[in-house]
Amino acid sequence: MRFVIHWTESLLSSAAKKTNSYEFNIFAQYLLTKVTTDNLSVLTFKGLPKVYKLLWNLQPIIPSHSWIMAGASKVADYLLQPVLQLYSWIVNSTIEVINTVSGSRANRNKETYIVTGDEQSFYTNVPIAETISLIKKIVIEEMEYEPWKVSLIEICLVAVMNNNCFQYRDEFYRQINGIAMGTSVAPVFANIYAVQFEQDLDEWWEKGLLSYVCYIDNIKFIFEGSQKQLSSFLSTQHFGKLKVSWDVRSAWEETPFLDCPFFFTSKPGIMELQSKLFRKKMNKHQYIPWFSAHLESVKRSFVKAELTRYMIVSSQKSFFEESKEMFFMNLHRRGYPADKLVEYGTLVDYKSRSSVLHESGKKRLEKQTLLLLPSSYNQMWNILNLKDVCDIMLKIWVHDKVEIPDSLKGPIIKSLRHSENLYDKVTQWKVETLQAMNHENHGGSKKCSFEDAFCLVGCRVRIEALRPRHS
């Protein structure tokens, strides 16, 4: 880690002297404050089993939020997000998919197919040097970025993509192939690499292609034509080193994409694209139980967010009502009172669906800057309305003719961390003690003794007696 810190500091310092730009120096100083061992942890390689698939496999996960390259990754991601606006078929969420494909229609008298594609092992097959060169070309020729921005993007990408270090068990590794997983800039980096292979779509819009969207390594399009014409289109889709597996289904079949299945329903002469909520067969619906210590406002907000999601993905009111009924049945099993469910049922009205979709499209175009307000949680945040406080501050500043930065003109979001206390400190000490005992006993092959564990549990009982109780 010390080597990486020294290397990054040298890279930024030499680039700052070479660029000689005020803006670059501002970003460089910000990044240098992030290149430190304070409050940073070594990344750990983890695997999430995909138990819902017929053949189990692991989804590799490397959480990089506390890695020393996190600051550089966030800066690169911020500077590259506008590049995605050049490609209308790139989407970032389900709501963007709905906005892009809603209203799609097909001729009832013609063959129509819904096709999805999965780019296998996407991240680990993206060439780093080639993609950085491609990004430099795009930001210079198409985005017309200033030289200092181009230099900053290149330095951040080189630092992030070539220094993804992590721990697996007792060994340390550095990723040498593909994109650094679990880092902020990874999705936009991957999208820009793949988009170079999708530039020839224009000629197919008049040859049967009705819609086409891409979400990182997932592709979905609707094709109207014969199987031979569809095969001809698929034969033209090459993605460099990436291998794509295609799933072709009839327009009448439900085709899952992200978190909703798409299918066509027939009307006289035309077929209209529909969508509804997708449920995995093994979903156990383990929602927050009513008896949990969460505030009721948290539970209420969670229910409203879920209902809003159901409303967005449901192209018909009947689909929304069906999903809502199933959701409330599962909540009732988790202890939610019937009277509260009746109250929560009024939080979202399906009639507002079109306006919600319209507003979400406007937000993307306006590119609002979100400002995070970091703080520690305390009970004051339950009664303090941050928007009212900011409105009062803005009025005072406007009255005093103070120039207001763009970051304060958009939404402000609270980012509250868990406050430290004695109980947490003792729990962490117990974990570290048990791990040390396991390691000492034949290199971790033997668990700690019952007597050792009993002593620690006894310590917990004494600490529990000191822990404050909430009414």
Side-chain angles (χ1 to χ4, degrees):
M1 184 178 289
R2 284 194 295 270
F3 167 77
V4 176
I5 292 174
H6 176 71
W7 178 83
T8 308
E9 290 175 343
S10 301
L11 183 68
L12 287 170
S13 299
S14 60
K17 293 177 182 178
K18 187 184 300 182
T19 308
N20 194 25
S21 166
Y22 172 77
E23 293 87 351
F24 183 93
N25 287 329
I26 292 295
F27 276 103
Q29 290 301 318
Y30 163 77
L31 293 176
L32 286 172
T33 62
K34 299 296 181 181
V35 183
T36 172
T37 56
D38 295 340
N39 300 320
L40 295 173
S41 59
V42 178
L43 307 183
T44 304
F45 182 90
K46 300 179 183 296
L48 181 66
K50 296 183 177 180
V51 298
Y52 56 89
K53 291 194 174 183
L54 183 61
L55 296 176
W56 286 23
N57 57 9
L58 288 178
Q59 175 68 45
I61 296 175
I62 304 177
S64 301
H65 51 76
S66 298
W67 182 231
I68 57 177
M69 295 300 167
S73 184
K74 291 175 183 177
V75 169
D77 180 59
Y78 175 78
L79 294 174
L80 290 177
Q81 281 298 326
V83 174
L84 297 183
Q85 304 299 320
L86 297 172
Y87 314 105
S88 59
W89 61 89
I90 300 294
V91 293
N92 290 318
S93 63
T94 299
I95 195 168
E96 287 189 17
V97 175
I98 298 293
N99 270 327
T100 303
V101 304
S102 62
S104 296
R105 297 185 175 188
N107 192 324
R108 182 179 176 83
N109 299 319
K110 293 184 178 181
E111 295 180 64
T112 305
Y113 300 92
I114 302 178
V115 184
T116 56
D118 181 20
E119 295 167 342
Q120 300 173 2
S121 303
F122 189 20
Y123 275 17
T124 52
N125 283 299
V126 175
I128 302 302
E130 178 185 333
T131 307
I132 292 178
S133 298
L134 175 65
I135 288 173
K136 285 181 63 179
K137 181 180 179 181
I138 293 174
V139 297
I140 292 173
E141 297 179 2
E142 300 187 48
M143 299 299 294
E144 298 182 349
Y145 275 6
E146 298 168 81
W148 71 266
K149 275 189 179 182
V150 178
S151 299
L152 183 61
I153 290 173
E154 182 180 13
I155 288 172
C156 288
L157 292 179
V158 168
V160 172
M161 296 303 168
N162 293 302
N163 292 284
N164 197 41
C165 303
F166 56 88
Q167 180 180 4
Y168 177 68
R169 294 185 177 175
D170 295 330
E171 300 290 335
F172 293 88
Y173 300 86
R174 182 173 69 88
Q175 184 179 341
I176 58 176
N177 290 324
I179 301 174
M181 294 181 287
T183 189
S184 301
V185 75
V188 65
F189 191 87
N191 273 324
I192 293 176
Y193 170 73
V195 82
Q196 64 179 312
F197 304 107
E198 299 169 318
Q199 301 290 342
D200 60 346
L201 293 175
D202 290 344
E203 62 179 274
W204 285 96
W205 292 115
E206 297 179 359
K207 296 181 181 180
L209 190 62
L210 300 182
S211 70
Y212 186 101
V213 292
C214 179
Y215 177 80
I216 308 180
D217 58 347
N218 297 290
I219 301 169
K220 171 190 166 294
F221 66 87
I222 302 171
F223 193 89
E224 186 180 73
S226 65
Q227 285 190 349
K228 184 178 180 180
Q229 291 172 318
L230 174 59
S231 298
S232 177
F233 171 70
L234 291 178
S235 66
T236 64
Q237 300 305 295
H238 303 290
F239 292 82
K241 297 181 179 180
L242 305 177
K243 182 180 179 182
V244 181
S245 60
W246 299 104
D247 179 20
V248 180
R249 303 193 187 188
S250 167
W252 309 104
E253 296 181 68
E254 292 187 1
T255 305
F257 184 73
L258 299 188
D259 58 351
C260 55
F262 292 88
F263 57 96
F264 277 93
T265 56
S266 61
K267 288 186 177 181
I270 61 170
M271 297 189 298
E272 237 179 83
L273 185 66
Q274 306 291 334
S275 62
K276 61 181 182 180
L277 182 68
F278 175 68
R279 296 187 185 90
K280 292 179 179 177
K281 293 181 180 180
M282 296 186 68
N283 191 339
K284 299 300 182 182
H285 307 288
Q286 299 294 313
Y287 302 118
I288 300 173
W290 182 258
F291 56 80
S292 74
H294 293 82
L295 297 170
E296 186 186 338
S297 60
V298 174
K299 299 167 187 172
R300 179 188 178 94
S301 299
F302 142 70
V303 173
K304 183 178 180 180
E306 278 293 276
L307 290 178
T308 303
R309 184 170 70 91
Y310 297 168
M311 175 190 68
I312 289 170
V313 302
S314 301
S315 57
Q316 295 184 17
K317 186 177 180 181
S318 59
F319 298 153
F320 170 69
E321 295 295 341
E322 177 187 349
S323 300
K324 177 180 174 182
E325 181 181 358
M326 182 66 68
F327 178 46
F328 278 13
M329 286 175 59
N330 290 318
L331 287 179
H332 193 56
R333 293 193 190 101
R334 302 289 285 172
Y336 284 65
D339 58 334
K340 286 296 179 182
L341 293 178
V342 171
E343 176 189 340
Y344 294 166
T346 62
L347 294 175
V348 176
D349 187 356
Y350 188 80
K351 294 178 181 178
S352 63
R353 181 175 186 264
S354 58
S355 61
V356 170
L357 290 172
H358 178 69
E359 286 300 317
S360 69
K362 282 175 58 180
K363 286 180 181 178
R364 184 186 181 189
L365 293 175
E366 291 171 356
K367 302 176 189 176
Q368 286 184 314
T369 302
L370 300 178
L371 180 64
L372 290 177
L373 180 63
S375 181
S376 296
Y377 173 78
N378 60 64
Q379 293 184 351
M380 284 296 297
W381 287 112
N382 298 334
I383 59 176
L384 186 63
N385 190 322
L386 184 60
K387 184 178 183 304
D388 292 342
V389 174
C390 292
D391 289 342
I392 293 173
M393 291 166 58
L394 289 173
K395 287 180 181 178
I396 295 174
W397 290 338
V398 170
H399 179 267
D400 294 341
K401 298 180 180 180
V402 176
E403 184 178 353
I404 302 173
D406 292 338
S407 57
L408 288 176
K409 295 177 182 178
I412 298 180
I413 301 175
K414 297 193 294 283
S415 178
L416 305 179
R417 62 180 177 272
H418 179 66
S419 56
E420 293 185 344
N421 53 59
L422 177 61
Y423 180 79
D424 291 337
K425 292 288 187 183
V426 173
T427 300
Q428 181 62 30
W429 167 76
K430 290 188 293 183
V431 170
E432 293 174 356
T433 303
L434 287 172
Q435 289 176 341
M437 289 178 180
N438 287 337
H439 186 72
E440 290 174 2
N441 292 325
H442 305 290
S445 61
K446 183 180 177 182
K447 300 296 182 183
C448 65
S449 67
F450 174 78
E451 291 79 8
D452 293 332
F454 185 80
C455 289
L456 290 174
V457 172
C459 178
R460 176 179 180 178
V461 172
R462 292 190 291 274
I463 294 298
E464 283 282 2
L466 298 174
R467 193 181 185 191
R469 303 296 179 186
H470 300 286
S471 58

